[in-house]
Amino acid sequence: MRTARTEGPRTLWVFAGLGLGIEACYAGMVGLGNLRQQTVAFLCLCGLAFLFYGIAVWGSLHWAERRRTLILIWGLALVFRVTLLFTTPPTLSDDVYRYIWDGRLANHGISPYALPVDSPLLNNLDSPLRALVNNNWMASPYLPTAQGLFALVYCLLPDSALAFQIAAMLLDLLTGLFVFDLLRRLGLPGTRVLIYLWNPLVVIEFAHGAHIDSLMLCLMMAALWALIVARSRIFSAILLAAATLTKGLPVLLLPVMAGRWGWRYVLSYAALIGLVLALFSLGPGWGLAGPLDGTGLFGALRIYGTYWNYNGGVYHWLEVALSGYPTPGPVPIEVVGLAPIRAAKLIVAGALGLVLVAVWWRCRRCD
């Protein structure tokens, strides 16, 4: 049952004012040019956008929906994203150049997992954007569903960072539609879609950064929508498998979905993932053993998992405690060895496993 208060004319003006404040922040970001070189100014604008956003979120939780308010929310959400397209090419991240390169290889019939970017065997496919690809000494770390998007966008508009920004923006807005429809079907005010659509982190990372997480989130929400609205367990399982094959994180939803799918569809989900991975490993191999040269389906991910971490939080301090290495700064494997790093990862993985078991058990009791 909806318990939000009735909206008055003043509410619309408040939402409009907050939205225009957020838009002014994005317009300011466009004026900065290279955001990575304007860190302080960017963070100030981002912080101000979050302040306006937080107030808007509070309002969205306390007011009932009206058609004009929804039009305002969706209209400004679109304006925010289109504004940040003018910050092209992305400067906060260079991941988009890997997307373009992988799409280029796929459109020439070459597996992105087979060869590192700087391989002389790929010189016949050279382009100015090749030099901008990060970690060019290894092959692609991105999973098969992501590769499908890279190939499609590159086919439609080759060598264009803007094309990937637009694709991420459209997937992002589609995610918002799934959220909006689920809110209304669950009896919640549709204005709460603002929590997703106006989130500055979401807007910046997708409309500016073109990150592949937009596809992952869209497929995750589609999987939930298919289960709740379409009542199709097989379609839900297929969509969550596709999300998992974009980035591995959606597997964390499995404890929530398993009780509603049943074991038959859980096995279908696992079988589909295994089949797709097996098909993409043909030729380049799995990359699970041998030298850490970054080739093979999981070759680059092995390097990420072994040597790199970013924004580690509690995990970082666990590494420090186990290795005794002084901080600040990352704990270097070449100094402390692999043992404390592996121990830290096992502890974190075990804690995450316990959380997943607890979620699964709770979902069973709710059912």
Side-chain angles (χ1 to χ4, degrees):
M1 173 179 284
R2 301 183 183 185
T3 58
R5 287 176 287 176
T6 303
E7 170 204 326
R10 184 178 298 178
T11 306
L12 190 66
W13 287 108
V14 170
F15 270 111
L18 292 169
L20 290 175
I22 296 173
E23 170 61 15
C25 294
Y26 295 143
M29 292 176 193
V30 173
L32 292 176
N34 190 320
L35 299 181
R36 192 178 292 189
Q37 295 176 359
Q38 302 288 338
T39 305
V40 174
F42 167 71
L43 290 178
C44 288
L45 288 171
C46 196
L48 187 59
F50 265 105
L51 175 62
F52 291 137
Y53 165 72
I55 299 171
V57 166
W58 181 87
S60 72
L61 296 176
H62 290 82
W63 295 92
E65 68 174 78
R66 290 285 179 87
R67 188 168 180 266
R68 56 188 178 180
T69 307
L70 291 174
I71 291 173
L72 178 69
I73 290 171
W74 280 95
L76 284 171
L78 181 60
V79 170
F80 297 160
R81 288 157 172 81
V82 172
T83 298
L84 284 178
L85 291 180
F86 289 100
T87 58
T88 187
T91 54
L92 289 176
S93 168
D94 52 13
D95 288 353
V96 70
Y97 301 112
R98 170 71 74 166
Y99 304 168
I100 293 171
W101 180 253
D102 285 2
R104 185 178 184 85
L105 293 184
N107 276 274
H108 284 84
I110 300 171
S111 170
Y113 306 118
L115 296 165
V117 178
D118 63 2
S119 171
L121 297 175
L122 298 175
N123 285 347
N124 62 316
L125 297 178
D126 200 9
S127 75
L129 297 181
R130 183 185 184 187
L132 300 176
V133 179
N134 57 27
N135 304 308
N136 64 357
W137 48 272
M138 67 183 191
S140 182
Y142 294 103
L143 293 174
T145 305
Q147 296 296 345
L149 180 67
F150 301 159
L152 175 61
V153 175
Y154 188 92
C155 178
L156 295 174
L157 196 58
D159 294 326
S160 171
L162 180 60
F164 280 90
Q165 289 175 275
I166 293 172
M169 180 189 75
L170 294 176
L171 288 165
D172 175 31
L173 291 172
L174 181 57
T175 300
L177 283 174
F178 283 125
V179 172
F180 178 69
D181 189 57
L182 286 171
L183 283 171
R184 302 191 79 175
R185 290 177 184 275
L186 294 173
L188 296 169
T191 49
R192 295 189 184 183
V193 73
L194 175 147
I195 298 171
Y196 177 82
L197 288 177
W198 285 22
N199 187 316
L201 180 62
V202 171
V203 176
I204 294 169
E205 289 301 308
F206 297 155
H208 170 72
H211 280 121
I212 193 61
D213 304 71
S214 59
L215 176 61
M216 178 191 74
L217 286 175
C218 186
L219 290 170
M220 287 171 60
M221 288 307 304
L224 289 169
W225 185 90
L227 183 63
I228 296 171
V229 179
R231 300 187 181 278
S232 173
R233 289 180 290 176
I234 185 61
F235 193 36
S236 176
I238 291 171
L239 287 167
L240 190 64
T244 307
L245 288 165
T246 305
K247 277 192 168 182
L249 288 175
V251 74
L252 299 178
L253 271 180
L254 194 56
V256 177
M257 308 293 264
R260 293 160 176 79
W261 285 349
W263 287 109
R264 176 183 171 187
Y265 294 100
V266 172
L267 293 175
S268 299
Y269 162 85
L272 180 58
I273 291 176
L275 176 61
V276 172
L277 292 177
L279 289 174
F280 274 78
S281 71
L282 295 176
W286 289 93
L288 292 172
L292 284 172
D293 59 2
T295 60
L297 182 59
F298 294 110
L301 291 175
R302 277 178 65 206
I303 295 174
Y304 278 109
T306 303
Y307 291 105
W308 296 340
N309 63 70
Y310 185 70
N311 284 342
V314 174
Y315 171 75
H316 168 72
W317 294 105
L318 188 58
E319 282 187 328
V320 170
L322 292 173
S323 66
Y325 188 82
T327 198
V331 178
I333 292 179
E334 59 272 15
V335 175
V336 304
L338 284 173
I341 306 300
R342 287 174 175 169
K345 289 177 179 177
L346 285 173
I347 291 171
V348 171
L352 179 59
L354 290 174
V355 170
L356 292 177
V357 170
V359 171
W360 173 75
W361 182 256
R362 177 67 178 172
C363 288
R364 283 192 62 190
R365 295 187 63 183
C366 290
D367 290 340

